[in-house]
Amino acid sequence: MYITDTAKEYCSLRDRIFEKLYDHLNDMQRQAVLTTQGPLLVLAGAGSGKTTVLTNRVAHIVRFGDAYQSNYMPKSLTDQDIMALEDYLKDLNAGKKELPEEVEGLLALRSVYPSGILALTFTNKAAREMKERIFRLVGEDAAAIWISTFHSTCVRILRRDIEKLGYTRSFVIYDDTDQLTVIKECLKELDINEKYFPPKEVRAAIGSRKDELKSPEDYAKEVHGQYREEKLARIYAAYEARLKKNNALDFDDLLNKTLELFYLHPDVLNYYRNKFRYILVDEYQDTNFAQYMLVKLLSDTYGNICVVGDDDQSIYRWRGADIRNILEFEKDFPHTRVIKLEENYRSCQNILDAANQVIRHNTHRKEKSLWTKRGKGEQIRICRAFNEQQEAEFVCNEIKRHISTGGRVGEVAVLYRMNAQSRVLEETFMKYAVPYNIYGGLRFYDRKEIKDIIAYLRLLDNPADDVSLQRIINVPKRGIGSATLASLQEAAVQRNLSILDMILDLDTNMVLSGRTAERVKEFGRLISELTVEKDARPLTDFIDYLLQETNYRSALEEDNSIESESRLENIMEFVSAAREFENNNPEGGLTEFLENIALVSDIDRMEEDTGEGKSSVSMMTLHSAKGLEFSIVFLVGLEEGLFPHARSMDSEEELEEERRLCYVGITRAKNRLYLTYTNQRTLYGSPSLNIPSRFLKEIPEELTEDVSMQLGGSGGYGRKSRGVPVSGAGAYGYAASGPEQAGYSRRAGFRAPGLASSARLDGQSASRPAATSGGKEGRFQPGDKVYHTKFGNGTVVAMEGEGSNLTLKVAFIQGGIRSFIAELAPLKKV
DNA sequence: TTGGTGGATCTTTTT
DNA sequence: GATCCACCAA
């Protein structure tokens, strides 16, 4: 192309303007923002400003369209234009970022409609956050951009065209509990024993097939001749048929049916792929095959696909995420530009070094190394405790010390591998009156009473929904038991009707008789009546009416227990959630409300989600901590068998995922990181002896400092850890501050029914020696290398029980973890 | 049909 | 230790 001097000058000015305009970004970030054309892979390490890049990139596209990097230039550039650009650059240098319209016209050469941008996330929270930040950058234009989760995006597409696939627009979305119900029905129908095909396993199998986009027919062909798999294929087929009959989609279907729609109706696909000129994907390392396909298909016309992610933070393999998507992105999308963001704005260098060192032990990854301009910061503090009670006391003491020196509790987080670990922490925090807040666990919309109400609503919205009907036909008790239900169901299948249709026309169908028939008919009348009222009343009003007419509320009120009281409270909460929805979506009806519940179910978190301004310590699993940051982080339970989890220890791939989880945990900390582990821990009811996690050993000693507690007199523990001399261990004397029973209030906000009362933690028999077993089995210790006549060499990773019940868990070099009764097993130390 | 009991099982979770 | 579920008695 012939380039004039004016054009050259234009380009150089444009470059300098953008550099100045984005001088709040580092070089790599700026590159990522300005690279708008073609495939782009941004490898964004933890805390490297990933969201900043995404939002600025979207804003840049909205404001300047295809300007940068494209061959487009203003058709006729005048000297005046050049002068205008020069003036603007001067303004910028003087700190004035306001963009005059004529300059914008010179820079933005081909405009892009905001509605031509699609940004995909995994969680609603991420979508919400991105939307807000883009709004702040570009104002009203942000409203037209498609920023939402994969699932919401698919629902939006499906609501328009799903009739082409033979569903109605008021389809329901089944969650995993509903899936189990359907699977159990299928097993019954096919006369398959649940023992040999546990519903949960079947669900996982079906889920995997769906992730791979395999239909029941595909699968059946593939496994032809294999008995078990063939059965699974039949269950899968029955499952699909039932969902369709119920006019229901599961979560996987939201993606798969969208793809199906695209395959069967290319006109629909073409509409969207021509519409979305720019596509961005957040957390790309978490995508599964279906999501990959969706992105691949939609980006085909323009090829402007930008994915942001961190392979080191891929922790959802077990949920279908395929790390290969990010590792092989460059192969899948030729001519990809790769940009690595390695500068970290969150943590001190010691913390980053620890993270870098741990993750280095993984083999399948893209080489990255985090660094910061901040200093080294504090040493990483490692504490060995005798048992989990003591571990929790240590955490409490440290937090109290932090508070007494002017620190805030909101800056602190305690992270653990399993939810079960939260109990002891919770009890101890209560005892010491440290306010805390547990995130995760049972979600609001998963509570029994809430699911019941939702089931009523779903049935009314979609009378074909047999699953919801089964849930509530006898809730509250109406004397309709499983036998009645079974015969109704069978008859419905025979006549190819929904169960509700059967019930409403029971006289013609003649399935039941006498008292039972009367009760069922009564239920039918109730539903008919509600169906009429549903359209006659506003949403909130109707839900209230429903609670009344079904006797759901009165049944709870009569119950008079603490539990039912909390259930009633939750129902009130639900009603106010409905009211809020009604206010925010005056147009939305029942269908929209239910969709909102299925897809946007995090009202629990929203209330308290105020980051470090909170007035309580945050406790959560490592998985839920992804994406968050805290000044002070406690990573507890770093023991072999717990973290890495025993279930993950028999495959290298799963072990690497555990290591990534550890990496995620470490990189949550901004200023101070504690790592704790115990010698003994009660898990699943019986005590076990543990050895420190291998991840601890992967952190260089010069980054760490031992702060183990000194036990009152019993010695031995806390003296030394991994050869590091104890520095002033006494300063952390545990029992330094006694329990303060009062103080703690439920304000910290857990709503779980009927807990709070069981804080009997008197005295604590913590210093009693472990179940170390005298006698001959005492010869074994966790960490011992052993030889088994059948399985060969291995290491004792855990011990449980005592005396003749003492069992050893041994990790064998070949063939995983096995448990043995110590007395009986042909094991010897080597 | 309901309610009680013994036995097995026990990661991680968003949509 | 806690929960879920299949099975059995009333």
Side-chain angles (χ1 to χ4, degrees), chain A residues 78-91:
Chain A
T78 65
D79 289 349
Q80 240 177 347
D81 294 339
I82 297 291
M83 269 165 60
L85 288 172
E86 275 170 354
D87 284 348
Y88 179 55
L89 185 58
K90 270 182 215 145
D91 281 359

Side-chain angles (χ1 to χ4, degrees), chain A residues 482-509:
Chain A
S482 55
T484 312
L485 186 57
S487 51
L488 279 171
Q489 204 179 344
E490 205 192 311
V493 171
Q494 273 172 17
R495 295 173 173 78
N496 201 25
L497 289 172
S498 74
I499 301 182
L500 185 60
D501 284 339
M502 277 281 313
I503 292 175
L504 291 177
D505 203 4
L506 205 60
D507 289 329
T508 329
N509 290 308

Side-chain angles (χ1 to χ4, degrees), chain A residues 574-622:
Chain A
F574 180 76
V575 173
S576 62
R579 188 171 296 120
E580 200 184 319
F581 174 84
E582 218 177 352
N583 291 338
N584 295 337
N585 308 272
E587 305 287 295
L590 186 52
T591 308
E592 288 74 20
F593 177 58
L594 290 172
E595 175 187 315
N596 188 268
I597 288 172
L599 256 33
V600 196
S601 57
D602 56 358
I603 63 163
D604 246 15
R605 289 151 193 245
M606 270 178 3
E607 306 166 46
E608 331 247 357
D609 217 11
T610 45
E612 301 208 335
K614 300 188 301 292
S615 53
S616 56
V617 174
S618 302
M619 293 193 207
M620 66 191 87
T621 63
L622 286 154

Side-chain angles (χ1 to χ4, degrees), chain A residues 332-347:
Chain A
D332 293 331
F333 296 85
H335 311 296
T336 289
R337 172 107 193 255
V338 182
I339 293 176
K340 282 185 195 174
L341 305 179
E342 292 169 294
E343 179 172 358
N344 175 291
Y345 295 94
R346 181 184 293 153
S347 316

Side-chain angles (χ1 to χ4, degrees), chain A residues 541-717:
Chain A
D541 192 33
F542 172 66
I543 294 174
D544 217 62
Y545 179 77
L546 184 149
L547 289 166
Q548 189 79 40
E549 293 300 298
T550 56
N551 287 328
Y552 199 98
R553 183 180 284 152
S554 47
L556 279 178
E557 280 163 356
E558 278 162 32
D559 192 47
N560 247 339
S561 65
I562 303 173
E563 199 185 310
S564 59
E565 203 171 293
S566 122
R567 297 230 147 116
L568 279 168
E569 274 174 34
N570 287 330
I571 287 175
M572 305 276 279
E573 180 93 26
F574 180 76
V575 173
S576 62
R579 188 171 296 120
E580 200 184 319
F581 174 84
E582 218 177 352
N583 291 338
N584 295 337
N585 308 272
E587 305 287 295
L590 186 52
T591 308
E592 288 74 20
F593 177 58
L594 290 172
E595 175 187 315
N596 188 268
I597 288 172
L599 256 33
V600 196
S601 57
D602 56 358
I603 63 163
D604 246 15
R605 289 151 193 245
M606 270 178 3
E607 306 166 46
E608 331 247 357
D609 217 11
T610 45
E612 301 208 335
K614 300 188 301 292
S615 53
S616 56
V617 174
S618 302
M619 293 193 207
M620 66 191 87
T621 63
L622 286 154
H623 281 90
S624 350
K626 196 172 123 198
L628 306 178
E629 58 177 36
F630 300 90
S631 178
I632 300 177
V633 168
F634 291 86
L635 241 168
V636 301
L638 277 148
E639 295 137 43
E640 288 289 293
L642 182 58
F643 189 30
H645 196 275
R647 295 232 156 179
S648 306
M649 298 215 297
D650 43 4
S651 101
E652 198 51 41
E653 270 182 317
E654 288 184 65
L655 209 80
E656 293 210 347
E657 178 139 321
E658 295 282 310
R659 190 173 283 112
R660 291 193 288 269
L661 197 53
C662 183
Y663 174 82
V664 167
I666 293 173
T667 53
R668 298 309 97 197
K670 293 206 274 196
N671 300 309
R672 184 185 301 169
L673 175 65
Y674 290 92
L675 305 172
T676 69
Y677 63 101
T678 67
N679 289 85
Q680 188 200 112
R681 181 181 296 275
T682 304
L683 215 57
Y684 308 132
S686 56
S688 64
L689 294 177
N690 297 326
I691 56 175
S693 167
R694 67 193 71 193
F695 302 143
L696 281 170
K697 297 193 189 74
E698 293 172 359
I699 300 174
E701 285 191 13
E702 58 269 23
L703 300 174
T704 68
E705 159 187 24
D706 188 302
V707 295
S708 297
M709 294 178 292
Q710 202 158 33
L711 263 171
S714 66
Y717 298 108

